[in-house]
Amino acid sequence: MLTSYTQAQIQGSEVAHPKVYILYKQLGQLTPPMEEQRLGESVPPPSGASGSPPPDEEERSEGGEPLVATPEDALGDSTSADGLWGLPVEHAERRPECSRCSRPQKVCLCPYLPVRPLQISTRLYIIQHPAEESKVLRTVPLLAACLPPDKCTVKIGRRFSEERDVELSTVCRDSGTLILYPGAEATNLEEFILDTPVYPSTIILIDGTWSQAKDIFYKNSLFRLPKQVQLKTSVCSQYVIRMQPTNRCLSTLECAAVALSILEKNNCIQETLLRPLQALCSFQLQHGAQIRLSKEYLLKNGLYPKPMPKNKRKLRKMELLMNSVKI
């Protein structure tokens, strides 16, 4: 409840105290008196509030003197207002995660991981966009859980230079390093390993959306140093809970699975690495997730839910997808 003493303080001050402002809101008066006075209006106090009454309705004490609020009464109102700021706030607790697969313990995927890390000779470097780190359904933790720690290194960032990352610079300058990124200048991986005099020992992958991966690849000169390769495969992505641009686009884990099976000449590697991804998608689909068809499929079948972009460059990309032209 606001006393006449408190109202006089508000009306005579330039800025109302936020706690008093909140009390006005609760009492149903949307605009404090001091704001209404600026508009040149005289507004009576809200109904139900114990503000200063009109002269003809002013309550009087037994001795006939008008009742005037004392500073002690105002102090009591201030104390009650302070109580609003002392209300407890519930903090959401993060579910405990499995230390191996980085999934919540209740939906741990460790039963689908290999008992022991896969023994491989190829080193894997994952360049991860910072936005991927906070996503719940990311595949890189599952990939890292399947491989020995010294064979899988994850570096998070968007910009890398020789001065700031000496290790990555050394890796990129090594003649045995490849970077997996599709494009006109990329060579098919299976064909490359047949002709190269130096067998690849390291492969770099970029983890992020396609636009994020493109930004990282073209704006870091370090990634132009290794030999650029791509995968020639007709396999459709099994990561069905995230939309892909085309049916041929693969997740980071799937790319690593195919590339390592080629470099290690062992098809069992691909099967082992895809098992936890299949389990992840199956679990999500059982609990309300929907199969996300590729943008290419939706456009071709008239099912794309969003309006076509007005930007000519984006519209051209859409047309290429509809015509199955490789972007």
Side-chain angles (χ1 to χ4, degrees):
M1 301 291 288
L2 294 177
T3 65
S4 57
Y5 179 84
T6 310
Q7 287 186 19
Q9 281 188 322
I10 299 171
Q11 294 174 359
S13 61
E14 280 296 316
V15 180
H17 194 284
K19 298 177 184 177
V20 181
Y21 189 97
I22 289 175
L23 286 176
Y24 268 101
K25 293 282 189 180
Q26 290 181 334
L27 293 171
Q29 186 170 329
L30 298 181
T31 307
M34 67 113 183
E35 292 186 12
E36 292 169 347
Q37 282 189 346
R38 290 176 185 170
L39 300 176
E41 298 179 3
S42 176
V43 179
S47 59
S50 56
S52 298
D56 57 340
E57 297 179 5
E58 190 173 39
E59 296 184 46
R60 295 182 177 274
S61 63
E62 294 179 358
E65 296 296 328
L67 293 175
V68 180
T70 63
E72 288 76 9
D73 295 330
L75 181 61
D77 288 331
S78 176
T79 304
S80 63
D82 288 336
L84 293 175
W85 301 95
L87 294 176
V89 178
E90 295 184 4
H91 297 282
E93 294 185 3
R94 190 178 182 87
R95 292 182 293 176
E97 292 185 349
C98 172
S99 58
R100 187 182 181 194
C101 67
S102 299
R103 293 279 296 162
Q105 291 180 357
K106 289 186 177 181
V107 289
C108 174
L109 295 177
C110 287
Y112 303 95
L113 300 176
V115 178
R116 287 179 294 275
L118 296 176
Q119 298 303 310
I120 57 175
S121 59
T122 308
R123 291 191 66 187
L124 201 62
Y125 272 80
I126 308 293
I127 308 301
Q128 188 178 73
H129 190 280
E132 285 292 315
E133 188 181 8
S134 59
K135 290 185 178 177
V136 178
L137 301 177
R138 57 195 190 278
T139 62
V140 168
L142 298 178
L143 174 61
C146 295
L147 303 176
D150 62 328
K151 296 297 182 182
C152 184
T153 302
V154 180
K155 289 189 172 291
I156 301 172
R158 290 182 294 181
R159 300 292 178 264
F160 301 88
S161 63
E162 297 188 30
E163 297 78 16
R164 294 174 59 185
D165 201 317
V166 179
E167 178 192 359
L168 186 60
S169 174
T170 304
V171 169
C172 290
R173 291 186 177 280
D174 192 326
S175 59
T177 299
L178 305 177
I179 185 165
L180 185 64
Y181 187 83
E185 300 178 358
T187 305
N188 292 331
L189 179 59
E190 289 180 304
E191 298 173 3
F192 176 79
I193 62 174
L194 296 176
D195 301 330
T196 180
V198 179
Y199 200 82
S201 59
T202 305
I203 187 165
I204 300 173
L205 282 75
I206 303 177
D207 181 47
T209 64
W210 285 95
S211 59
Q212 290 168 352
K214 182 178 180 180
D215 178 75
I216 290 175
F217 180 76
Y218 285 106
K219 292 187 178 179
N220 288 280
S221 57
L222 274 180
F223 299 142
R224 231 78 86 248
L225 299 177
K227 179 65 179 177
Q228 184 181 349
V229 295
Q230 62 186 4
L231 300 175
K232 184 181 180 181
T233 177
S234 58
V235 176
C236 290
S237 175
Q238 297 185 42
Y239 195 23
V240 294
I241 55 177
R242 274 183 84 172
M243 181 185 289
Q244 306 288 357
T246 72
N247 298 326
R248 300 175 300 277
C249 293
L250 304 178
S251 66
T252 304
L253 184 146
E254 291 171 309
C255 288
V258 175
L260 288 175
S261 65
I262 294 172
L263 293 171
E264 299 289 326
K265 300 178 181 179
N266 184 352
N267 291 331
C268 293
I269 292 177
Q270 183 175 345
E271 297 175 9
T272 303
L273 292 179
L274 291 181
R275 194 176 297 123
L277 177 64
Q278 294 164 350
L280 170 65
C281 293
S282 176
F283 179 84
Q284 293 298 128
L285 292 173
Q286 290 172 15
H287 291 79
Q290 300 293 322
I291 293 179
R292 305 292 300 274
L293 301 171
S294 70
K295 189 180 293 186
E296 175 188 28
Y297 179 89
L298 295 176
L299 287 170
K300 283 184 176 180
N301 293 274
L303 302 174
Y304 192 64
K306 299 179 182 179
M308 296 297 283
K310 296 181 180 180
N311 182 286
K312 290 184 179 180
R313 182 178 59 84
K314 292 182 178 179
L315 185 61
R316 177 59 179 163
K317 282 188 175 182
M318 293 288 197
E319 293 173 349
L320 293 175
L321 283 175
M322 294 178 68
N323 296 322
S324 298
V325 177
K326 190 174 182 180
I327 299 177

PDB file of all heavy atoms in Angstrom, residues 145-160:
ATOM      1  N   ALA A 145      34.647 -39.871 -28.766  1.00  0.00           N
ATOM      2  CA  ALA A 145      34.555 -40.975 -27.802  1.00  0.00           C
ATOM      3  C   ALA A 145      34.932 -42.311 -28.418  1.00  0.00           C
ATOM      4  O   ALA A 145      35.264 -43.257 -27.694  1.00  0.00           O
ATOM      5  CB  ALA A 145      33.140 -41.046 -27.237  1.00  0.00           C
ATOM      6  N   CYS A 146      34.909 -42.394 -29.746  1.00  0.00           N
ATOM      7  CA  CYS A 146      35.236 -43.653 -30.425  1.00  0.00           C
ATOM      8  C   CYS A 146      36.723 -43.774 -30.761  1.00  0.00           C
ATOM      9  O   CYS A 146      37.175 -44.865 -31.144  1.00  0.00           O
ATOM     10  CB  CYS A 146      34.430 -43.786 -31.715  1.00  0.00           C
ATOM     11  SG  CYS A 146      32.646 -43.935 -31.469  1.00  0.00           S
ATOM     12  N   LEU A 147      37.465 -42.676 -30.657  1.00  0.00           N
ATOM     13  CA  LEU A 147      38.857 -42.660 -31.101  1.00  0.00           C
ATOM     14  C   LEU A 147      39.800 -42.408 -29.932  1.00  0.00           C
ATOM     15  O   LEU A 147      39.408 -41.817 -28.921  1.00  0.00           O
ATOM     16  CB  LEU A 147      39.045 -41.561 -32.162  1.00  0.00           C
ATOM     17  CG  LEU A 147      38.148 -41.655 -33.406  1.00  0.00           C
ATOM     18  CD1 LEU A 147      38.372 -40.445 -34.305  1.00  0.00           C
ATOM     19  CD2 LEU A 147      38.390 -42.959 -34.165  1.00  0.00           C
ATOM     20  N   PRO A 148      41.064 -42.809 -30.058  1.00  0.00           N
ATOM     21  CA  PRO A 148      42.045 -42.500 -29.006  1.00  0.00           C
ATOM     22  C   PRO A 148      42.230 -40.988 -28.887  1.00  0.00           C
ATOM     23  O   PRO A 148      42.164 -40.264 -29.889  1.00  0.00           O
ATOM     24  CB  PRO A 148      43.331 -43.176 -29.518  1.00  0.00           C
ATOM     25  CG  PRO A 148      42.871 -44.187 -30.519  1.00  0.00           C
ATOM     26  CD  PRO A 148      41.630 -43.629 -31.140  1.00  0.00           C
ATOM     27  N   PRO A 149      42.447 -40.481 -27.675  1.00  0.00           N
ATOM     28  CA  PRO A 149      42.595 -39.026 -27.489  1.00  0.00           C
ATOM     29  C   PRO A 149      43.701 -38.403 -28.330  1.00  0.00           C
ATOM     30  O   PRO A 149      43.579 -37.253 -28.777  1.00  0.00           O
ATOM     31  CB  PRO A 149      42.900 -38.890 -25.992  1.00  0.00           C
ATOM     32  CG  PRO A 149      42.335 -40.130 -25.370  1.00  0.00           C
ATOM     33  CD  PRO A 149      42.506 -41.211 -26.390  1.00  0.00           C
ATOM     34  N   ASP A 150      44.776 -39.147 -28.579  1.00  0.00           N
ATOM     35  CA  ASP A 150      45.884 -38.585 -29.352  1.00  0.00           C
ATOM     36  C   ASP A 150      45.634 -38.623 -30.857  1.00  0.00           C
ATOM     37  O   ASP A 150      46.439 -38.114 -31.632  1.00  0.00           O
ATOM     38  CB  ASP A 150      47.189 -39.320 -29.024  1.00  0.00           C
ATOM     39  CG  ASP A 150      47.127 -40.797 -29.388  1.00  0.00           C
ATOM     40  OD1 ASP A 150      46.021 -41.384 -29.311  1.00  0.00           O
ATOM     41  OD2 ASP A 150      48.170 -41.365 -29.771  1.00  0.00           O
ATOM     42  N   LYS A 151      44.497 -39.219 -31.257  1.00  0.00           N
ATOM     43  CA  LYS A 151      44.174 -39.300 -32.684  1.00  0.00           C
ATOM     44  C   LYS A 151      43.037 -38.373 -33.091  1.00  0.00           C
ATOM     45  O   LYS A 151      42.708 -38.286 -34.277  1.00  0.00           O
ATOM     46  CB  LYS A 151      43.799 -40.745 -33.059  1.00  0.00           C
ATOM     47  CG  LYS A 151      44.929 -41.752 -32.890  1.00  0.00           C
ATOM     48  CD  LYS A 151      46.091 -41.435 -33.812  1.00  0.00           C
ATOM     49  CE  LYS A 151      47.203 -42.471 -33.674  1.00  0.00           C
ATOM     50  NZ  LYS A 151      48.362 -42.152 -34.544  1.00  0.00           N
ATOM     51  N   CYS A 152      42.438 -37.699 -32.132  1.00  0.00           N
ATOM     52  CA  CYS A 152      41.330 -36.786 -32.444  1.00  0.00           C
ATOM     53  C   CYS A 152      41.492 -35.504 -31.645  1.00  0.00           C
ATOM     54  O   CYS A 152      41.375 -35.507 -30.413  1.00  0.00           O
ATOM     55  CB  CYS A 152      39.983 -37.451 -32.130  1.00  0.00           C
ATOM     56  SG  CYS A 152      38.555 -36.438 -32.583  1.00  0.00           S
ATOM     57  N   THR A 153      41.750 -34.406 -32.346  1.00  0.00           N
ATOM     58  CA  THR A 153      41.936 -33.099 -31.708  1.00  0.00           C
ATOM     59  C   THR A 153      40.850 -32.153 -32.197  1.00  0.00           C
ATOM     60  O   THR A 153      40.630 -32.026 -33.398  1.00  0.00           O
ATOM     61  CB  THR A 153      43.318 -32.516 -32.055  1.00  0.00           C
ATOM     62  OG1 THR A 153      44.331 -33.431 -31.620  1.00  0.00           O
ATOM     63  CG2 THR A 153      43.525 -31.169 -31.390  1.00  0.00           C
ATOM     64  N   VAL A 154      40.160 -31.505 -31.245  1.00  0.00           N
ATOM     65  CA  VAL A 154      39.100 -30.548 -31.584  1.00  0.00           C
ATOM     66  C   VAL A 154      39.586 -29.141 -31.257  1.00  0.00           C
ATOM     67  O   VAL A 154      39.981 -28.854 -30.123  1.00  0.00           O
ATOM     68  CB  VAL A 154      37.801 -30.852 -30.807  1.00  0.00           C
ATOM     69  CG1 VAL A 154      36.713 -29.842 -31.177  1.00  0.00           C
ATOM     70  CG2 VAL A 154      37.327 -32.273 -31.085  1.00  0.00           C
ATOM     71  N   LYS A 155      39.564 -28.270 -32.250  1.00  0.00           N
ATOM     72  CA  LYS A 155      39.943 -26.867 -32.063  1.00  0.00           C
ATOM     73  C   LYS A 155      38.726 -26.005 -32.366  1.00  0.00           C
ATOM     74  O   LYS A 155      38.150 -26.093 -33.451  1.00  0.00           O
ATOM     75  CB  LYS A 155      41.118 -26.490 -32.959  1.00  0.00           C
ATOM     76  CG  LYS A 155      42.431 -27.135 -32.512  1.00  0.00           C
ATOM     77  CD  LYS A 155      43.601 -26.578 -33.283  1.00  0.00           C
ATOM     78  CE  LYS A 155      44.921 -27.079 -32.700  1.00  0.00           C
ATOM     79  NZ  LYS A 155      45.194 -26.502 -31.361  1.00  0.00           N
ATOM     80  N   ILE A 156      38.355 -25.166 -31.397  1.00  0.00           N
ATOM     81  CA  ILE A 156      37.150 -24.343 -31.515  1.00  0.00           C
ATOM     82  C   ILE A 156      37.534 -22.911 -31.876  1.00  0.00           C
ATOM     83  O   ILE A 156      38.408 -22.314 -31.249  1.00  0.00           O
ATOM     84  CB  ILE A 156      36.361 -24.362 -30.197  1.00  0.00           C
ATOM     85  CG1 ILE A 156      35.981 -25.796 -29.839  1.00  0.00           C
ATOM     86  CG2 ILE A 156      35.115 -23.494 -30.292  1.00  0.00           C
ATOM     87  CD1 ILE A 156      35.373 -25.955 -28.468  1.00  0.00           C
ATOM     88  N   GLY A 157      36.890 -22.373 -32.887  1.00  0.00           N
ATOM     89  CA  GLY A 157      37.172 -21.000 -33.296  1.00  0.00           C
ATOM     90  C   GLY A 157      36.724 -20.740 -34.721  1.00  0.00           C
ATOM     91  O   GLY A 157      36.301 -21.658 -35.439  1.00  0.00           O
ATOM     92  N   ARG A 158      36.829 -19.480 -35.128  1.00  0.00           N
ATOM     93  CA  ARG A 158      36.482 -19.095 -36.500  1.00  0.00           C
ATOM     94  C   ARG A 158      37.687 -18.583 -37.280  1.00  0.00           C
ATOM     95  O   ARG A 158      37.709 -18.666 -38.500  1.00  0.00           O
ATOM     96  CB  ARG A 158      35.396 -18.013 -36.483  1.00  0.00           C
ATOM     97  CG  ARG A 158      34.047 -18.516 -36.040  1.00  0.00           C
ATOM     98  CD  ARG A 158      33.001 -17.437 -36.079  1.00  0.00           C
ATOM     99  NE  ARG A 158      33.272 -16.388 -35.105  1.00  0.00           N
ATOM    100  CZ  ARG A 158      32.506 -15.321 -34.914  1.00  0.00           C
ATOM    101  NH1 ARG A 158      31.429 -15.142 -35.660  1.00  0.00           N
ATOM    102  NH2 ARG A 158      32.808 -14.422 -34.008  1.00  0.00           N
ATOM    103  N   ARG A 159      38.687 -18.052 -36.571  1.00  0.00           N
ATOM    104  CA  ARG A 159      39.864 -17.511 -37.231  1.00  0.00           C
ATOM    105  C   ARG A 159      41.116 -18.129 -36.611  1.00  0.00           C
ATOM    106  O   ARG A 159      41.254 -18.172 -35.389  1.00  0.00           O
ATOM    107  CB  ARG A 159      39.909 -15.983 -37.086  1.00  0.00           C
ATOM    108  CG  ARG A 159      38.703 -15.274 -37.695  1.00  0.00           C
ATOM    109  CD  ARG A 159      38.695 -15.391 -39.218  1.00  0.00           C
ATOM    110  NE  ARG A 159      37.518 -14.742 -39.779  1.00  0.00           N
ATOM    111  CZ  ARG A 159      36.392 -15.371 -40.095  1.00  0.00           C
ATOM    112  NH1 ARG A 159      36.301 -16.676 -39.861  1.00  0.00           N
ATOM    113  NH2 ARG A 159      35.379 -14.720 -40.622  1.00  0.00           N
ATOM    114  N   PHE A 160      42.008 -18.577 -37.479  1.00  0.00           N
ATOM    115  CA  PHE A 160      43.250 -19.214 -37.041  1.00  0.00           C
ATOM    116  C   PHE A 160      44.408 -18.616 -37.846  1.00  0.00           C
ATOM    117  O   PHE A 160      44.274 -18.344 -39.040  1.00  0.00           O
ATOM    118  CB  PHE A 160      43.194 -20.728 -37.252  1.00  0.00           C
ATOM    119  CG  PHE A 160      42.062 -21.402 -36.517  1.00  0.00           C
ATOM    120  CD1 PHE A 160      40.804 -21.516 -37.099  1.00  0.00           C
ATOM    121  CD2 PHE A 160      42.250 -21.901 -35.243  1.00  0.00           C
ATOM    122  CE1 PHE A 160      39.756 -22.129 -36.421  1.00  0.00           C
ATOM    123  CE2 PHE A 160      41.207 -22.521 -34.550  1.00  0.00           C
ATOM    124  CZ  PHE A 160      39.966 -22.629 -35.145  1.00  0.00           C
TER     125      PHE A 160
END
